[in-house]
Amino acid sequence: DAAEDSETDADIEETIFDRRDADLTPLIVSSARKLKRVLADEQNEVLDALRRSDPVRNLDALLPWVADHTERYASVIGDDLLLAANAGGAASDLEKAPKLRKAAGKQAVAEASERIGQWLVQPLRDRLERCVSDGDGDNAAITKKVRAVYRECKTRHIDEQLDDVIRVAHGHGLLGALAPDTPVEWTPDPSHDVCADCDDNRLAGTVAAGQPFPTGQMCTPAHPGCRCMLVAVPR
């Protein structure tokens, strides 16, 4: 019986979702490790500024502009984002494994970098802004709150948000590798719950690659936590 079970397990076909997770998990781990180092350095810079500065009442005294802040993070994990995009390109046709064009890879990385700003940098800045506002010039009080914010970001938010960011690079890489007007379907990962919006996209059936689904999205993921994928349909 054990031998039969082993053979059955071996015969189970790897799904596109299994392949995607196998490709992306090492990249998520790698990029999280890199960003946590950047966050640790940034925290030290902020705390040093709080020790040296006059009473701080504005976040600009502690951090660069939001665009520069986003670029700081995105540049550190750029290689991982490009690898995720290339994995998405290969997933667009598992038989031919097409090579992603350089321009399409660059666009996928840019899309993922934008999400770093939306999903990681801006929420972090909002929390730090509240620290500064609540501290009202009391740098010691601000320092205590800032430590807690960075600790939470490193232990929780980084892993959650990077999972989604890496999937953005993968999804856009997949779309970028498809020939124009290739028929595609929005396909939920059966091992995860599907939201109402993604279900609407699924019910739309076949859509030409590069055209929007009912929710306005052209490729996955639709939102943080989305595990759907585009799947090319044979003509």
Side-chain angles (χ1 to χ4, degrees):
D1 288 347
E4 288 180 5
D5 289 342
S6 177
E7 289 175 6
T8 301
D9 290 342
D11 291 338
I12 294 175
E13 210 172 303
E14 183 184 52
T15 70
I16 56 170
F17 302 101
D18 295 332
R19 177 81 58 86
R20 177 194 61 187
D21 292 346
D23 287 339
L24 298 190
T25 296
L27 300 178
I28 293 167
V29 171
S30 169
S31 56
R33 185 168 58 246
K34 293 171 185 175
L35 268 191
K36 286 176 183 179
R37 285 199 295 266
V38 171
L39 274 170
D41 291 341
E42 181 177 291
Q43 176 183 344
N44 289 335
E45 292 170 6
V46 169
L47 295 179
D48 188 50
L50 284 165
R51 282 191 293 269
R52 293 185 289 103
S53 295
D54 293 333
V56 171
R57 291 187 168 86
N58 192 305
L59 189 62
D60 292 340
L62 303 177
L63 290 173
W65 294 108
V66 64
D68 295 332
H69 199 178
T70 299
E71 174 59 23
R72 173 190 287 178
Y73 291 7
S75 63
V76 168
I77 63 169
D79 290 345
D80 292 320
L81 295 178
L82 185 56
L83 287 170
N86 285 323
S92 66
D93 187 335
L94 294 179
E95 292 183 1
K96 298 178 183 176
K99 184 174 177 62
L100 189 64
R101 290 176 293 109
K102 186 175 181 179
K106 186 175 180 180
Q107 180 61 32
V109 170
E111 293 285 349
S113 297
E114 185 177 335
R115 300 313 190 285
I116 291 174
Q118 295 172 354
W119 297 342
L120 181 60
V121 172
Q122 193 57 57
L124 172 61
R125 292 177 71 92
D126 289 343
R127 288 189 287 270
L128 292 172
E129 185 74 60
R130 286 194 293 273
C131 295
V132 172
S133 177
D134 292 346
D136 192 26
D138 183 346
N139 287 15
I142 296 171
T143 294
K144 185 175 181 180
K145 292 177 180 291
V146 162
R147 288 184 189 277
V149 166
Y150 274 104
R151 181 168 58 249
E152 183 181 24
C153 189
K154 285 183 288 186
T155 57
R156 198 181 102 195
H157 296 297
I158 279 284
D159 296 307
E160 292 175 357
Q161 267 65 63
L162 273 181
D163 199 320
D164 295 317
V165 166
I166 293 289
R167 290 175 198 280
V168 168
H170 182 273
H172 280 271
L174 192 159
L175 179 64
L178 293 170
D181 298 329
T182 299
V184 294
E185 291 179 343
W186 191 282
T187 308
D189 184 339
S191 65
H192 290 267
D193 293 333
V194 59
C195 71
D197 282 350
C198 289
D199 202 37
D200 285 344
N201 290 341
R202 176 186 68 82
L203 292 171
T206 302
V207 171
Q211 296 301 308
F213 282 84
T215 60
Q217 301 284 342
M218 289 188 290
C219 74
T220 61
H223 54 77
C226 176
R227 295 295 179 268
C228 300
M229 281 184 68
L230 290 188
V231 175
V233 179
R235 294 180 186 270

